[in-house]
Amino acid sequence: MLGRLEKVRERYEEVTRLLSDPAVLSNQQRFRELSKEHSVLTPLIKAYETYRKVKKDLEGLREITESSSDAEMRQMAYAEVDGVKAQLGQIEEELKTLLIPRDPNDSRNVIVEIRAGTGGEEAALFGAVLYRMYSRFAERKGWKVELLDLSDTGLGGIKEISFGLSGNDVYGAMKFESGVHRVQRVPKQRRRGGFTPRLPPWLCCLKSNRLM
């Protein structure tokens, strides 16, 4: 794993240098490609730098426990070793996850469709809630939201809507959102412990796997 990480670090440094190369700066297509690669590699490099620092800290603590003549210092080092080892193990797992090959489509933009299902006006209102939720999520991620088509109920609900999402790693974040989304309303009597039949769920079908 460390060999792969060193190769990634070398590539990261190379891309960083290229991004300041006048020849690259004058080629917008090449600059965009390298900028995207740089943004993909950055989380991995940050995790690797943290790993190297924590590993160095652990080696320092072990050296103290093995060679220090100060009993109090050795005791303090022993007390910290387990915590630092656990931290190092967590970072190793994070690095293994970051090293998994990416889906080449993860960086693509998507078109999202939301359609109200069972539940009439309530389902349409639920569709509106989903649209607001994904719009706010996109805003927090710094994505652009483009409304493509809308069919509403006139009462605040949405029968059907399609909108585009564009930005960094949009498909990677949205590809598992497709499917039927369901909300179940629980009456107050049931929440208080009384027996009340469940009300029918409101369903909305969402598609987020259309690439742009």
Side-chain angles (χ1 to χ4, degrees):
M1 182 178 77
L2 295 179
R4 289 181 63 191
L5 288 168
E6 278 299 314
K7 289 181 179 179
V8 171
R9 185 174 65 83
E10 291 172 3
R11 176 58 182 169
Y12 179 80
E13 292 175 352
E14 180 185 9
V15 171
T16 301
R17 289 194 299 270
L18 287 171
L19 285 172
S20 60
D21 188 323
V24 173
L25 292 172
S26 63
N27 186 333
Q28 287 301 305
Q29 178 64 27
R30 179 64 172 154
F31 181 78
R32 281 194 296 270
E33 291 173 355
L34 288 171
S35 296
K36 184 167 288 188
E37 183 179 358
H38 190 274
S39 67
V40 169
L41 294 177
T42 296
L44 178 56
I45 295 302
K46 286 184 177 179
Y48 183 40
E49 289 174 350
T50 302
Y51 172 84
R52 294 174 66 188
K53 178 182 180 302
V54 174
K55 187 177 181 181
K56 185 176 180 180
D57 291 344
L58 181 60
E59 291 171 351
L61 288 171
R62 283 174 171 165
E63 183 177 351
I64 292 173
T65 63
E66 294 170 359
S67 60
S68 177
S69 59
D70 189 324
E72 185 176 352
M73 285 288 292
R74 289 200 306 272
Q75 185 177 2
M76 291 175 61
Y78 273 120
E80 292 185 35
V81 164
D82 287 343
V84 176
K85 284 175 64 177
Q87 183 182 4
L88 191 64
Q90 291 176 353
I91 300 172
E92 285 178 348
E93 292 303 315
E94 181 184 356
L95 286 170
K96 289 177 183 177
T97 300
L98 290 170
L99 282 171
I100 295 174
R102 288 167 53 87
D103 182 335
N105 287 321
D106 280 354
S107 61
R108 298 280 297 276
N109 300 325
V110 301
I111 294 175
V112 181
E113 298 177 353
I114 299 175
R115 298 180 181 180
T118 305
E121 183 62 34
E122 299 287 5
L125 290 170
F126 179 40
V129 170
L130 286 176
Y131 173 62
R132 288 195 298 271
M133 179 186 73
Y134 286 116
S135 295
R136 290 174 183 173
F137 177 71
E139 182 180 349
R140 291 181 181 178
K141 299 284 283 186
W143 299 343
K144 178 183 177 182
V145 181
E146 179 184 2
L147 182 61
L148 302 175
D149 188 41
L150 171 65
S151 175
D152 59 30
T153 64
L155 298 175
I158 291 177
K159 296 178 183 177
E160 185 176 340
I161 187 171
S162 61
F163 55 97
L165 296 177
S166 56
N168 292 327
D169 296 329
V170 177
Y171 182 73
M174 294 294 294
K175 61 184 176 182
F176 299 115
E177 293 298 309
S178 297
V180 176
H181 290 239
R182 164 182 171 144
V183 64
Q184 182 82 50
R185 182 157 59 94
V186 180
K188 291 182 180 179
Q189 295 91 332
R190 189 176 181 84
R191 291 199 294 262
R192 292 170 182 168
F195 177 77
T196 305
R198 285 189 178 184
L199 297 174
W202 309 323
L203 306 178
C204 281
C205 180
L206 184 143
K207 294 182 180 179
S208 61
N209 57 357
R210 292 178 56 191
L211 299 176
M212 293 176 65

